[in-house]
């Protein structure tokens, strides 16, 4: 029996890039058993809920999953998840609900430039650790009459310490040189001030890894101007979300930025940084590389770095030689064409 991995096929470009990713992972020497997990449209069809508790339970058992993007706007409004014990989780979006129902708390997004593709940013190598349980995406917002709205930016010591600890561990395990905390503590003195204070507390316990901090606006500027200033970045939910799309744009495409959602008990749900790209869905032109590289993160997580390196090298070769590129990178290739080229190189 192979390694059982949950597969959330998503919608928009999700099914296309999932097929390409599974094709590449099947070309490693690992035997997988893909377990479909009904979430989104499939959840509604099978269980009458976009995030059925049956699927949450299955993902908790599997601990390993590949998730394609989901069109969040389809399931607009607050999402209520009723648990067996009678408690209810209330979430602002489906993606947020998946992360929080599964107890996933950090989203590492290693973003790298590629020779032949990323121009001035081909040496960019920034790993963004995005906190994914709170901040302005906590879902605590309300209207004040018809003319105003309030949204709470939640920061807790628990979440801020946990993501900082993960970032220093990540830096140590991956041979990285520095961890930078991104914040706006001059203006958001309490919420971001606490995030920064927790980071400094953890940094003091990890003196072997240099650390510093930057305001989020300065970080955006320096990322564009001199990205070599950064190595590992730790950021709250929204700043991490925005900065990872910026970094992806700098290296050439959202289709190059992989990611993972990691929990405290070894759970991992890998997913690309980008969304469901409805503007190009169904045309077989989506770039599958972000999800394929996310698949490589799953291989590393299960201790198969040898196979992860095989996938990553093949991706780099295909990109360096500008073989079979999708239109976002200036080519005329197809989603499966890119996958086949990568498999050929493996
Ligand atoms: P998006 O990331 O889907 O697309 C932004 C732009 O990048 C579009 O022009 C798109 O064509 C392009 N793009 C994205 N991925 C690409 C790829 N692999 N190859 C080539 N081009 C690619 O962002 P959006 O348009 O703001 O959001 C679309 C939908 O996706 C929304 O419903 C949003 O809520 C959802 N979304 C889901 C996730 C997720 O599931 N994790 C994340 C972000 C957005």
């Amino acid at each position: 029996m192979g390694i059982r991995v949950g597969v959330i096929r998503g919608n928009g470009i999700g099914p296309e890039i999932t097929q390409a990713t599974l094709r590449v992972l099947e070309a490693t020497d690992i035997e997988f058993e893909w377990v479909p997990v009904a979430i989104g449209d499939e959840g509604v069809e099978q269980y009458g809920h976009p995030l059925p508790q049956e699927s949450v339970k299955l993902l908790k058992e599997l601990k390993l999953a590949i998730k394609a993007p989901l069109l969040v706007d389809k399931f607009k409004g607050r999402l209520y998840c009723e648990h067996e014990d009678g408690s209810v989780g209330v979430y602002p979006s489906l993606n947020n609900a998946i992360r929080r129902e599964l107890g996933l708390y950090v989203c590492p997004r290693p973003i790298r430039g590629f020779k032949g593709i990323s121009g001035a940013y081909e040496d960019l190598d920034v790993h963004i650790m995005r906190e994914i349980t709170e901040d302005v995406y906590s879902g605590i917002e309300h209207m004040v009459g018809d003319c105003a709205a309030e949204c709470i930016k939640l920061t807790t010591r628990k979440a801020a310490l946990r993501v900082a600890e993960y970032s220093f561990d990540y830096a140590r395990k991956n041979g990285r040189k520095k961890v930078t905390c991104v914040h706006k503590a001059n203006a958001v003195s309490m919420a971001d001030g606490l995030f920064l204070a927790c980071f400094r507390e953890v940094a003091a316990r990890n003196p072997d890894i240099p650390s510093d901090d930057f305001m989020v606006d300065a970080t955006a500027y320096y990322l564009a101007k001199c990205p070599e200033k950064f190595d590992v970045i730790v950021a709250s939910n929204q700043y991490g979300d925005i900065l990872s799309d910026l970094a992806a744009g700098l290296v050439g495409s959202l289709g190059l930025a992989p990611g993972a959602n990691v929990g405290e008990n070894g759970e991992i749900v890998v997913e690309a940084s980008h969304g469901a790209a409805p503007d190009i869905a169904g045309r077989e032109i989506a770039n599958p590389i972000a999800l394929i590289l996310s698949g490589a993160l799953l291989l590393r997580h299960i201790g198969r770095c040898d196979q992860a390196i095989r996938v990553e090298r093949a991706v780099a070769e295909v990109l360096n030689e500008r073989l079979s590129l999708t239109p976002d990178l200036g080519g005329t290739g197809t989603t499966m064409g890119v996958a086949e080229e990568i498999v050929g190189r493996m």
Side-chain angles (χ1 to χ4, degrees):
M1 207 174 76
I3 297 179
R4 300 181 80 220
V5 177
V7 177
I8 303 160
R9 297 173 61 79
N11 42 28
I13 59 170
E16 300 161 53
I17 59 173
T18 303
Q19 189 193 2
T21 300
L22 300 191
R23 169 81 182 100
V24 170
L25 293 177
E26 281 164 6
T28 63
D29 68 4
I30 306 166
E31 204 187 315
F32 290 105
E33 186 193 336
W34 307 125
V35 183
V37 182
I39 286 180
D41 291 324
E42 291 169 7
V44 174
E45 274 158 33
Q46 289 181 34
Y47 301 102
H49 194 285
L51 181 55
Q53 285 303 299
E54 289 83 349
S55 299
V56 172
K57 198 169 160 227
L58 178 58
L59 284 170
K60 280 185 180 164
E61 273 164 28
L62 292 168
K63 287 194 165 186
L64 304 173
I66 296 174
K67 175 188 167 293
L70 288 157
L71 276 169
V72 169
D73 334 357
K74 265 192 111 161
F75 308 100
K76 247 196 188 125
R78 290 192 181 173
L79 199 74
Y80 292 81
C81 293
E82 284 181 42
H83 307 135
E84 266 173 16
D85 64 3
S87 61
V88 180
V90 186
Y91 308 105
S93 79
L94 181 52
N95 284 316
N96 185 284
I98 296 170
R99 291 170 177 151
R100 287 164 65 188
E101 283 282 301
L102 292 172
L104 308 170
Y105 69 96
V106 55
C107 177
R109 290 178 166 170
I111 300 168
R112 296 190 177 92
F114 291 93
K115 280 202 176 60
I117 296 287
S118 307
Y121 295 101
E122 67 176 35
D123 293 326
L124 186 146
D125 187 9
V126 176
H127 296 214
I128 298 175
M129 307 294 127
R130 174 184 169 196
E131 200 288 324
I132 48 174
T133 65
E134 46 188 40
D135 197 24
V136 288
Y137 305 149
S138 301
I140 314 168
E141 61 175 340
H142 54 256
M143 294 301 296
V144 181
D146 292 334
C147 302
E150 287 180 344
C151 175
I152 303 281
K153 181 176 169 79
L154 177 71
T155 303
T156 64
R157 263 182 70 75
K158 183 183 171 191
L161 290 172
R162 189 167 59 170
V163 73
E165 271 152 16
Y166 181 89
S167 303
F168 282 94
D169 282 352
Y170 181 99
R172 194 171 293 110
K173 280 186 194 139
N174 292 282
R176 312 293 302 185
K177 303 273 178 286
K178 187 179 77 160
V179 182
T180 300
C181 176
V182 171
H183 60 89
K184 186 79 180 173
N186 58 341
V188 190
S189 59
M190 293 189 198
D192 281 15
L194 180 61
F195 192 82
L196 178 59
C198 291
F199 171 79
R200 288 187 174 147
E201 206 176 306
V202 175
R205 292 202 291 270
N206 291 272
D208 56 316
I209 309 223
S211 61
D212 59 9
D213 67 274
F214 284 93
M215 300 289 171
V216 64
D217 43 353
T219 304
Y221 172 71
Y222 289 133
L223 259 181
K225 183 93 176 150
C226 43
E228 62 282 1
K229 243 182 159 50
F230 302 108
D231 190 323
V232 172
I233 284 178
V234 52
S236 53
N237 208 341
Q238 188 179 38
Y239 302 153
D241 192 10
I242 296 169
L243 291 176
S244 46
D245 268 32
L246 169 61
L250 294 176
V251 299
S253 172
L254 269 172
L256 297 175
N261 303 285
V262 179
E264 275 181 343
N265 303 309
E267 307 89 346
I268 188 169
V269 176
V270 296
E271 69 174 333
S273 298
H274 59 74
D279 51 336
I280 56 166
R283 291 165 54 198
E284 265 292 314
I285 57 165
N287 187 345
I289 288 177
L291 193 60
I292 290 170
L293 290 175
S294 306
L297 297 178
L298 184 127
L299 298 177
R300 286 183 185 278
H301 184 82
I302 61 171
R304 293 303 308 269
C305 292
D306 57 329
Q307 296 305 307
I309 290 167
R310 259 182 92 199
V311 172
E312 288 160 357
R313 282 201 181 135
V315 167
E317 272 182 41
V318 169
L319 289 169
N320 295 349
E321 295 166 27
R322 298 192 62 83
L323 295 164
S324 188
L325 301 180
T326 42
D328 55 309
L329 296 176
T332 54
T334 63
T335 307
M336 277 314 280
V338 173
E340 291 303 341
E341 200 69 57
I342 292 167
V343 169
R345 297 271 147 171
M346 285 164 68

PDB file of all heavy atoms in Angstrom, residues 225-259:
ATOM      1  N   LYS A 225      13.731  46.395  -4.092  1.00  0.00           N
ATOM      2  CA  LYS A 225      14.987  47.109  -4.353  1.00  0.00           C
ATOM      3  C   LYS A 225      16.225  46.240  -4.080  1.00  0.00           C
ATOM      4  O   LYS A 225      17.162  46.223  -4.874  1.00  0.00           O
ATOM      5  CB  LYS A 225      15.005  48.336  -3.434  1.00  0.00           C
ATOM      6  CG  LYS A 225      16.169  49.248  -3.585  1.00  0.00           C
ATOM      7  CD  LYS A 225      15.884  50.356  -4.550  1.00  0.00           C
ATOM      8  CE  LYS A 225      17.049  51.322  -4.608  1.00  0.00           C
ATOM      9  NZ  LYS A 225      17.162  51.948  -5.914  1.00  0.00           N
ATOM     10  N   CYS A 226      16.241  45.535  -2.954  1.00  0.00           N
ATOM     11  CA  CYS A 226      17.420  44.739  -2.589  1.00  0.00           C
ATOM     12  C   CYS A 226      16.966  43.508  -1.775  1.00  0.00           C
ATOM     13  O   CYS A 226      17.134  43.467  -0.553  1.00  0.00           O
ATOM     14  CB  CYS A 226      18.443  45.556  -1.807  1.00  0.00           C
ATOM     15  SG  CYS A 226      17.725  46.625  -0.538  1.00  0.00           S
ATOM     16  N   PRO A 227      16.375  42.527  -2.469  1.00  0.00           N
ATOM     17  CA  PRO A 227      15.798  41.373  -1.771  1.00  0.00           C
ATOM     18  C   PRO A 227      16.823  40.555  -0.996  1.00  0.00           C
ATOM     19  O   PRO A 227      16.438  39.788  -0.100  1.00  0.00           O
ATOM     20  CB  PRO A 227      15.162  40.551  -2.910  1.00  0.00           C
ATOM     21  CG  PRO A 227      15.782  41.037  -4.165  1.00  0.00           C
ATOM     22  CD  PRO A 227      16.183  42.458  -3.934  1.00  0.00           C
ATOM     23  N   GLU A 228      18.110  40.739  -1.320  1.00  0.00           N
ATOM     24  CA  GLU A 228      19.154  39.990  -0.601  1.00  0.00           C
ATOM     25  C   GLU A 228      19.217  40.385   0.884  1.00  0.00           C
ATOM     26  O   GLU A 228      19.857  39.714   1.692  1.00  0.00           O
ATOM     27  CB  GLU A 228      20.524  40.140  -1.281  1.00  0.00           C
ATOM     28  CG  GLU A 228      21.099  41.548  -1.350  1.00  0.00           C
ATOM     29  CD  GLU A 228      20.492  42.431  -2.446  1.00  0.00           C
ATOM     30  OE1 GLU A 228      19.591  41.981  -3.174  1.00  0.00           O
ATOM     31  OE2 GLU A 228      20.924  43.600  -2.553  1.00  0.00           O
ATOM     32  N   LYS A 229      18.537  41.457   1.246  1.00  0.00           N
ATOM     33  CA  LYS A 229      18.427  41.867   2.651  1.00  0.00           C
ATOM     34  C   LYS A 229      17.692  40.829   3.480  1.00  0.00           C
ATOM     35  O   LYS A 229      17.783  40.809   4.704  1.00  0.00           O
ATOM     36  CB  LYS A 229      17.581  43.157   2.709  1.00  0.00           C
ATOM     37  CG  LYS A 229      18.296  44.362   3.239  1.00  0.00           C
ATOM     38  CD  LYS A 229      17.308  45.531   3.289  1.00  0.00           C
ATOM     39  CE  LYS A 229      17.735  46.601   4.244  1.00  0.00           C
ATOM     40  NZ  LYS A 229      19.070  47.085   4.134  1.00  0.00           N
ATOM     41  N   PHE A 230      16.872  39.986   2.804  1.00  0.00           N
ATOM     42  CA  PHE A 230      15.993  39.063   3.524  1.00  0.00           C
ATOM     43  C   PHE A 230      16.373  37.604   3.286  1.00  0.00           C
ATOM     44  O   PHE A 230      16.870  37.251   2.225  1.00  0.00           O
ATOM     45  CB  PHE A 230      14.533  39.279   3.102  1.00  0.00           C
ATOM     46  CG  PHE A 230      14.056  40.672   3.328  1.00  0.00           C
ATOM     47  CD1 PHE A 230      13.843  41.535   2.265  1.00  0.00           C
ATOM     48  CD2 PHE A 230      13.849  41.140   4.619  1.00  0.00           C
ATOM     49  CE1 PHE A 230      13.423  42.834   2.473  1.00  0.00           C
ATOM     50  CE2 PHE A 230      13.422  42.438   4.846  1.00  0.00           C
ATOM     51  CZ  PHE A 230      13.213  43.287   3.767  1.00  0.00           C
ATOM     52  N   ASP A 231      16.049  36.804   4.295  1.00  0.00           N
ATOM     53  CA  ASP A 231      16.298  35.368   4.193  1.00  0.00           C
ATOM     54  C   ASP A 231      15.005  34.652   4.591  1.00  0.00           C
ATOM     55  O   ASP A 231      14.190  34.307   3.752  1.00  0.00           O
ATOM     56  CB  ASP A 231      17.484  35.017   5.104  1.00  0.00           C
ATOM     57  CG  ASP A 231      17.964  33.607   4.884  1.00  0.00           C
ATOM     58  OD1 ASP A 231      17.111  32.746   4.651  1.00  0.00           O
ATOM     59  OD2 ASP A 231      19.177  33.344   4.947  1.00  0.00           O
ATOM     60  N   VAL A 232      14.779  34.512   5.926  1.00  0.00           N
ATOM     61  CA  VAL A 232      13.480  34.023   6.404  1.00  0.00           C
ATOM     62  C   VAL A 232      12.733  35.243   6.939  1.00  0.00           C
ATOM     63  O   VAL A 232      13.295  36.041   7.695  1.00  0.00           O
ATOM     64  CB  VAL A 232      13.657  32.977   7.531  1.00  0.00           C
ATOM     65  CG1 VAL A 232      12.313  32.616   8.155  1.00  0.00           C
ATOM     66  CG2 VAL A 232      14.348  31.735   6.980  1.00  0.00           C
ATOM     67  N   ILE A 233      11.477  35.393   6.525  1.00  0.00           N
ATOM     68  CA  ILE A 233      10.629  36.482   7.021  1.00  0.00           C
ATOM     69  C   ILE A 233       9.494  35.867   7.819  1.00  0.00           C
ATOM     70  O   ILE A 233       8.880  34.898   7.371  1.00  0.00           O
ATOM     71  CB  ILE A 233      10.049  37.293   5.838  1.00  0.00           C
ATOM     72  CG1 ILE A 233      11.117  38.211   5.232  1.00  0.00           C
ATOM     73  CG2 ILE A 233       8.823  38.102   6.251  1.00  0.00           C
ATOM     74  CD1 ILE A 233      10.649  39.029   4.029  1.00  0.00           C
ATOM     75  N   VAL A 234       9.214  36.418   8.991  1.00  0.00           N
ATOM     76  CA  VAL A 234       8.026  35.974   9.723  1.00  0.00           C
ATOM     77  C   VAL A 234       7.049  37.144   9.792  1.00  0.00           C
ATOM     78  O   VAL A 234       7.438  38.273  10.104  1.00  0.00           O
ATOM     79  CB  VAL A 234       8.376  35.379  11.118  1.00  0.00           C
ATOM     80  CG1 VAL A 234       9.229  36.291  11.937  1.00  0.00           C
ATOM     81  CG2 VAL A 234       7.112  35.018  11.894  1.00  0.00           C
ATOM     82  N   ALA A 235       5.799  36.858   9.424  1.00  0.00           N
ATOM     83  CA  ALA A 235       4.827  37.942   9.320  1.00  0.00           C
ATOM     84  C   ALA A 235       3.460  37.477   9.791  1.00  0.00           C
ATOM     85  O   ALA A 235       3.124  36.294   9.706  1.00  0.00           O
ATOM     86  CB  ALA A 235       4.729  38.408   7.869  1.00  0.00           C
ATOM     87  N   SER A 236       2.665  38.440  10.219  1.00  0.00           N
ATOM     88  CA  SER A 236       1.280  38.122  10.583  1.00  0.00           C
ATOM     89  C   SER A 236       0.508  37.793   9.291  1.00  0.00           C
ATOM     90  O   SER A 236       1.022  37.963   8.182  1.00  0.00           O
ATOM     91  CB  SER A 236       0.657  39.283  11.344  1.00  0.00           C
ATOM     92  OG  SER A 236       0.825  40.464  10.596  1.00  0.00           O
ATOM     93  N   ASN A 237      -0.722  37.342   9.478  1.00  0.00           N
ATOM     94  CA  ASN A 237      -1.497  36.747   8.383  1.00  0.00           C
ATOM     95  C   ASN A 237      -1.585  37.630   7.127  1.00  0.00           C
ATOM     96  O   ASN A 237      -1.242  37.205   6.029  1.00  0.00           O
ATOM     97  CB  ASN A 237      -2.900  36.444   8.956  1.00  0.00           C
ATOM     98  CG  ASN A 237      -3.576  35.286   8.263  1.00  0.00           C
ATOM     99  OD1 ASN A 237      -3.208  34.916   7.151  1.00  0.00           O
ATOM    100  ND2 ASN A 237      -4.567  34.718   8.910  1.00  0.00           N
ATOM    101  N   GLN A 238      -2.019  38.878   7.314  1.00  0.00           N
ATOM    102  CA  GLN A 238      -2.233  39.719   6.132  1.00  0.00           C
ATOM    103  C   GLN A 238      -0.920  40.177   5.488  1.00  0.00           C
ATOM    104  O   GLN A 238      -0.780  40.140   4.266  1.00  0.00           O
ATOM    105  CB  GLN A 238      -3.071  40.952   6.509  1.00  0.00           C
ATOM    106  CG  GLN A 238      -3.481  41.745   5.291  1.00  0.00           C
ATOM    107  CD  GLN A 238      -4.321  42.955   5.632  1.00  0.00           C
ATOM    108  OE1 GLN A 238      -4.084  43.621   6.643  1.00  0.00           O
ATOM    109  NE2 GLN A 238      -5.303  43.242   4.820  1.00  0.00           N
ATOM    110  N   TYR A 239       0.050  40.588   6.302  1.00  0.00           N
ATOM    111  CA  TYR A 239       1.319  41.035   5.712  1.00  0.00           C
ATOM    112  C   TYR A 239       1.976  39.874   4.956  1.00  0.00           C
ATOM    113  O   TYR A 239       2.537  40.054   3.869  1.00  0.00           O
ATOM    114  CB  TYR A 239       2.291  41.563   6.787  1.00  0.00           C
ATOM    115  CG  TYR A 239       1.771  42.716   7.621  1.00  0.00           C
ATOM    116  CD1 TYR A 239       2.249  42.919   8.912  1.00  0.00           C
ATOM    117  CD2 TYR A 239       0.830  43.609   7.125  1.00  0.00           C
ATOM    118  CE1 TYR A 239       1.801  43.974   9.694  1.00  0.00           C
ATOM    119  CE2 TYR A 239       0.373  44.662   7.898  1.00  0.00           C
ATOM    120  CZ  TYR A 239       0.851  44.847   9.189  1.00  0.00           C
ATOM    121  OH  TYR A 239       0.400  45.884   9.958  1.00  0.00           O
ATOM    122  N   GLY A 240       1.902  38.677   5.537  1.00  0.00           N
ATOM    123  CA  GLY A 240       2.504  37.502   4.885  1.00  0.00           C
ATOM    124  C   GLY A 240       1.802  37.189   3.576  1.00  0.00           C
ATOM    125  O   GLY A 240       2.439  36.827   2.574  1.00  0.00           O
ATOM    126  N   ASP A 241       0.496  37.345   3.569  1.00  0.00           N
ATOM    127  CA  ASP A 241      -0.317  37.113   2.367  1.00  0.00           C
ATOM    128  C   ASP A 241       0.130  38.053   1.250  1.00  0.00           C
ATOM    129  O   ASP A 241       0.413  37.640   0.121  1.00  0.00           O
ATOM    130  CB  ASP A 241      -1.782  37.409   2.771  1.00  0.00           C
ATOM    131  CG  ASP A 241      -2.789  36.940   1.751  1.00  0.00           C
ATOM    132  OD1 ASP A 241      -2.406  36.219   0.819  1.00  0.00           O
ATOM    133  OD2 ASP A 241      -3.978  37.297   1.896  1.00  0.00           O
ATOM    134  N   ILE A 242       0.235  39.322   1.582  1.00  0.00           N
ATOM    135  CA  ILE A 242       0.551  40.332   0.557  1.00  0.00           C
ATOM    136  C   ILE A 242       2.006  40.214   0.101  1.00  0.00           C
ATOM    137  O   ILE A 242       2.305  40.232  -1.096  1.00  0.00           O
ATOM    138  CB  ILE A 242       0.258  41.749   1.108  1.00  0.00           C
ATOM    139  CG1 ILE A 242      -1.247  41.882   1.386  1.00  0.00           C
ATOM    140  CG2 ILE A 242       0.734  42.822   0.140  1.00  0.00           C
ATOM    141  CD1 ILE A 242      -1.647  43.118   2.171  1.00  0.00           C
ATOM    142  N   LEU A 243       2.916  40.068   1.072  1.00  0.00           N
ATOM    143  CA  LEU A 243       4.335  40.031   0.697  1.00  0.00           C
ATOM    144  C   LEU A 243       4.671  38.801  -0.145  1.00  0.00           C
ATOM    145  O   LEU A 243       5.542  38.862  -1.014  1.00  0.00           O
ATOM    146  CB  LEU A 243       5.219  40.062   1.954  1.00  0.00           C
ATOM    147  CG  LEU A 243       5.206  41.389   2.726  1.00  0.00           C
ATOM    148  CD1 LEU A 243       6.045  41.265   3.999  1.00  0.00           C
ATOM    149  CD2 LEU A 243       5.715  42.553   1.869  1.00  0.00           C
ATOM    150  N   SER A 244       3.961  37.672   0.082  1.00  0.00           N
ATOM    151  CA  SER A 244       4.301  36.503  -0.733  1.00  0.00           C
ATOM    152  C   SER A 244       3.822  36.674  -2.171  1.00  0.00           C
ATOM    153  O   SER A 244       4.490  36.226  -3.098  1.00  0.00           O
ATOM    154  CB  SER A 244       3.851  35.186  -0.101  1.00  0.00           C
ATOM    155  OG  SER A 244       2.554  35.251   0.360  1.00  0.00           O
ATOM    156  N   ASP A 245       2.694  37.363  -2.373  1.00  0.00           N
ATOM    157  CA  ASP A 245       2.289  37.648  -3.764  1.00  0.00           C
ATOM    158  C   ASP A 245       3.269  38.626  -4.410  1.00  0.00           C
ATOM    159  O   ASP A 245       3.606  38.494  -5.584  1.00  0.00           O
ATOM    160  CB  ASP A 245       0.872  38.257  -3.809  1.00  0.00           C
ATOM    161  CG  ASP A 245      -0.208  37.192  -3.990  1.00  0.00           C
ATOM    162  OD1 ASP A 245      -0.008  36.059  -3.496  1.00  0.00           O
ATOM    163  OD2 ASP A 245      -1.261  37.470  -4.602  1.00  0.00           O
ATOM    164  N   LEU A 246       3.752  39.595  -3.625  1.00  0.00           N
ATOM    165  CA  LEU A 246       4.741  40.543  -4.163  1.00  0.00           C
ATOM    166  C   LEU A 246       6.004  39.783  -4.595  1.00  0.00           C
ATOM    167  O   LEU A 246       6.501  39.968  -5.715  1.00  0.00           O
ATOM    168  CB  LEU A 246       5.094  41.603  -3.103  1.00  0.00           C
ATOM    169  CG  LEU A 246       6.290  42.500  -3.430  1.00  0.00           C
ATOM    170  CD1 LEU A 246       6.060  43.319  -4.699  1.00  0.00           C
ATOM    171  CD2 LEU A 246       6.599  43.447  -2.267  1.00  0.00           C
ATOM    172  N   ALA A 247       6.502  38.919  -3.716  1.00  0.00           N
ATOM    173  CA  ALA A 247       7.729  38.167  -4.034  1.00  0.00           C
ATOM    174  C   ALA A 247       7.507  37.298  -5.268  1.00  0.00           C
ATOM    175  O   ALA A 247       8.386  37.191  -6.137  1.00  0.00           O
ATOM    176  CB  ALA A 247       8.150  37.318  -2.835  1.00  0.00           C
ATOM    177  N   ALA A 248       6.306  36.697  -5.378  1.00  0.00           N
ATOM    178  CA  ALA A 248       6.006  35.861  -6.549  1.00  0.00           C
ATOM    179  C   ALA A 248       6.031  36.713  -7.819  1.00  0.00           C
ATOM    180  O   ALA A 248       6.577  36.300  -8.848  1.00  0.00           O
ATOM    181  CB  ALA A 248       4.638  35.195  -6.380  1.00  0.00           C
ATOM    182  N   GLY A 249       5.476  37.905  -7.730  1.00  0.00           N
ATOM    183  CA  GLY A 249       5.482  38.797  -8.891  1.00  0.00           C
ATOM    184  C   GLY A 249       6.897  39.176  -9.292  1.00  0.00           C
ATOM    185  O   GLY A 249       7.226  39.244 -10.477  1.00  0.00           O
ATOM    186  N   LEU A 250       7.753  39.394  -8.299  1.00  0.00           N
ATOM    187  CA  LEU A 250       9.132  39.786  -8.600  1.00  0.00           C
ATOM    188  C   LEU A 250       9.872  38.674  -9.351  1.00  0.00           C
ATOM    189  O   LEU A 250      10.637  38.940 -10.273  1.00  0.00           O
ATOM    190  CB  LEU A 250       9.885  40.139  -7.311  1.00  0.00           C
ATOM    191  CG  LEU A 250       9.378  41.382  -6.561  1.00  0.00           C
ATOM    192  CD1 LEU A 250      10.139  41.557  -5.249  1.00  0.00           C
ATOM    193  CD2 LEU A 250       9.513  42.643  -7.423  1.00  0.00           C
ATOM    194  N   VAL A 251       9.631  37.407  -8.966  1.00  0.00           N
ATOM    195  CA  VAL A 251      10.365  36.323  -9.645  1.00  0.00           C
ATOM    196  C   VAL A 251       9.704  35.931 -10.960  1.00  0.00           C
ATOM    197  O   VAL A 251      10.239  35.126 -11.706  1.00  0.00           O
ATOM    198  CB  VAL A 251      10.595  35.084  -8.745  1.00  0.00           C
ATOM    199  CG1 VAL A 251      11.430  35.456  -7.535  1.00  0.00           C
ATOM    200  CG2 VAL A 251       9.290  34.410  -8.331  1.00  0.00           C
ATOM    201  N   GLY A 252       8.545  36.493 -11.264  1.00  0.00           N
ATOM    202  CA  GLY A 252       8.008  36.282 -12.604  1.00  0.00           C
ATOM    203  C   GLY A 252       6.568  35.836 -12.687  1.00  0.00           C
ATOM    204  O   GLY A 252       5.906  36.076 -13.690  1.00  0.00           O
ATOM    205  N   SER A 253       6.059  35.140 -11.663  1.00  0.00           N
ATOM    206  CA  SER A 253       4.656  34.697 -11.744  1.00  0.00           C
ATOM    207  C   SER A 253       4.189  34.135 -10.414  1.00  0.00           C
ATOM    208  O   SER A 253       4.979  33.518  -9.679  1.00  0.00           O
ATOM    209  CB  SER A 253       4.522  33.585 -12.797  1.00  0.00           C
ATOM    210  OG  SER A 253       3.222  33.025 -12.756  1.00  0.00           O
ATOM    211  N   LEU A 254       2.898  34.297 -10.172  1.00  0.00           N
ATOM    212  CA  LEU A 254       2.298  33.624  -9.018  1.00  0.00           C
ATOM    213  C   LEU A 254       2.416  32.112  -9.201  1.00  0.00           C
ATOM    214  O   LEU A 254       2.412  31.356  -8.228  1.00  0.00           O
ATOM    215  CB  LEU A 254       0.824  34.006  -8.904  1.00  0.00           C
ATOM    216  CG  LEU A 254       0.497  35.211  -8.044  1.00  0.00           C
ATOM    217  CD1 LEU A 254      -0.965  35.574  -8.182  1.00  0.00           C
ATOM    218  CD2 LEU A 254       0.810  34.935  -6.575  1.00  0.00           C
ATOM    219  N   GLY A 255       2.538  31.687 -10.424  1.00  0.00           N
ATOM    220  CA  GLY A 255       2.652  30.257 -10.727  1.00  0.00           C
ATOM    221  C   GLY A 255       3.982  29.655 -10.347  1.00  0.00           C
ATOM    222  O   GLY A 255       4.255  28.493 -10.664  1.00  0.00           O
ATOM    223  N   LEU A 256       4.837  30.425  -9.661  1.00  0.00           N
ATOM    224  CA  LEU A 256       6.144  29.889  -9.235  1.00  0.00           C
ATOM    225  C   LEU A 256       6.286  29.834  -7.715  1.00  0.00           C
ATOM    226  O   LEU A 256       7.346  29.476  -7.217  1.00  0.00           O
ATOM    227  CB  LEU A 256       7.278  30.776  -9.785  1.00  0.00           C
ATOM    228  CG  LEU A 256       7.432  30.860 -11.302  1.00  0.00           C
ATOM    229  CD1 LEU A 256       8.521  31.865 -11.669  1.00  0.00           C
ATOM    230  CD2 LEU A 256       7.764  29.497 -11.893  1.00  0.00           C
ATOM    231  N   ALA A 257       5.225  30.234  -6.986  1.00  0.00           N
ATOM    232  CA  ALA A 257       5.364  30.388  -5.530  1.00  0.00           C
ATOM    233  C   ALA A 257       4.650  29.270  -4.764  1.00  0.00           C
ATOM    234  O   ALA A 257       3.427  29.280  -4.651  1.00  0.00           O
ATOM    235  CB  ALA A 257       4.812  31.755  -5.116  1.00  0.00           C
ATOM    236  N   PRO A 258       5.432  28.317  -4.225  1.00  0.00           N
ATOM    237  CA  PRO A 258       4.806  27.201  -3.504  1.00  0.00           C
ATOM    238  C   PRO A 258       4.518  27.561  -2.054  1.00  0.00           C
ATOM    239  O   PRO A 258       4.939  28.612  -1.565  1.00  0.00           O
ATOM    240  CB  PRO A 258       5.887  26.122  -3.555  1.00  0.00           C
ATOM    241  CG  PRO A 258       7.168  26.889  -3.559  1.00  0.00           C
ATOM    242  CD  PRO A 258       6.892  28.196  -4.268  1.00  0.00           C
ATOM    243  N   GLY A 259       3.810  26.681  -1.377  1.00  0.00           N
ATOM    244  CA  GLY A 259       3.545  26.911   0.040  1.00  0.00           C
ATOM    245  C   GLY A 259       3.013  25.665   0.713  1.00  0.00           C
ATOM    246  O   GLY A 259       2.726  24.643   0.073  1.00  0.00           O
TER     247      GLY A 259
END
